[in-house]
Amino acid sequence: MKIKINLSQCMIVKNEEKNIRKALTWGKNIVCEQIVVDTGSTDRTVEIAEEMGAKVFHFEWIDDFSAAKNFAIEQASGNWIAFLDADEYFSEEDTQKIIPLLKYLQKDGKYSAMPAIIRSSLVNLNDEGKPGSFATQDRIFSNNSALRYQNRIHETLQASAGKKHVVFDATDRLTVFHTGYTKSVFEETHKMDRNIALLKREVKENPENYDAWAYLGDALFGNEQYEDAENAYNRVIVNIKNVFSQERKDLIFSNLLKMKFLRSVKAEAVIMNAYNQSVDCNCSTPDIEYWVGSWMLNHGKEQKGIEYFELALNKLEQYQGHGVLDVAAELPYIYQTLFEFYYKSINHAAEAVRYGVLYLRVKPYGESVLKGLLQLLGNGARDEKTTEAILGFLFKLYDFTKAKDKLFLIRVSNKLFYHALEQKVYELLSEEEKAFFNQNKQSVYQN
């Protein structure tokens, strides 16, 4: 039997003329309709959406994100829904995976019979367009009346009371890119001020809603109102037994330690008190150890900093949660710090090599690390056997079909006066690449 998939794309918007074209482009070739619910735009958002063929609806804003999103869902006719914000998108590569994945799930009885959610990875991009933090989100789900958003702000997709739903983990194959958490966006749109106002209203009406207090702490932290953020978090910590989500506890303590790092708190006892509280709460996020390690390194406690960085890496390997992770974006820095520490340490060459390799796997053109690594591997020897062994090692790290990689290795070898290795790599250039190198030798060496 042929499986028919109709995917509706939904979003709620307000003054998104800068994002709306991209938001309606990524899924254009795979969705059956695009539902845009406008909550009061005063720019060209609605005009552009209509030009692009979207079905535009209007919803009077009532300070409730869930109400607006649920209204959008009710307009959708597809049997599956992709609900991304205007500042979110899938890459072209991942977009092509969505319909085959939905067909695969539709074959499985439990995903067609029960409310179903597909969990994706999420990357928050910074102002430079680089990953700032990583998390998971539920952005694709079956169009089932039992699935609706809940909570006025920081809305979550949940099954109605008494209903069960299934979640398919696609975090290894689908990634949502999110641009809306950059500092420039917050300054331009005042989204953070809006969120703070909504959350303050929520905690005033429901002072024992500790999730709302925690979200308020997040928003105040994002707005660099650190003292108020700490006060909000501390109110939650005193009542931590009323917080049921482990990921929420993780984020409270990691943000609390991050703030203490950013505020350059001087007393180690203050840092360790917060850290020990996180341990008592069984926090699993490696961000906690990362921020403690960063504080230690910033305050001249190098050995302790290294120990906490390694604890963070160990926890990252075992991490099974779905929370926001700063440490994932900081891996190059962590690897480089550990490499440099062990590089200068006596009898720790193996550790230095390990972290050097990990660094180069994510930052292959890190010249200083590669130079140090080559010096460690050669250990002063530059004979034919050693050079061949090093070349074999480099074959595991670099793509020798790419001129860029080979020219990079030639440049680094030259700077180390390792001319035997330089010659070995040069011999692997094609005739065309050799001609380019010989004509641009000076610029290749200087880059």
Side-chain angles (χ1 to χ4, degrees), residues 357-371:
V357 168
L358 288 171
Y359 174 83
L360 291 171
R361 290 198 186 281
V362 291
K363 291 282 187 180
Y365 306 117
E367 187 173 300
S368 64
V369 172
L370 179 59
K371 286 165 70 175

Side-chain angles (χ1 to χ4, degrees), residues 183 187 192 196 217-229 259 262-263:
K183 187 175 182 180
E187 289 175 349
M192 197 64 79
I196 290 171
D218 297 345
L220 291 165
F221 172 42
N223 215 34
E224 298 182 2
Q225 295 173 241
Y226 296 143
E227 186 174 345
D228 290 341
M259 273 192 291
L262 293 172
R263 297 177 74 184

Side-chain angles (χ1 to χ4, degrees), residues 261 289-299 305 308-309 333:
F261 168 78
E289 279 72 19
Y290 169 70
W291 290 113
V292 174
S294 297
W295 185 93
M296 293 294 179
L297 290 168
N298 249 29
H299 289 77
Y308 279 103
F309 270 14
Y333 166 67

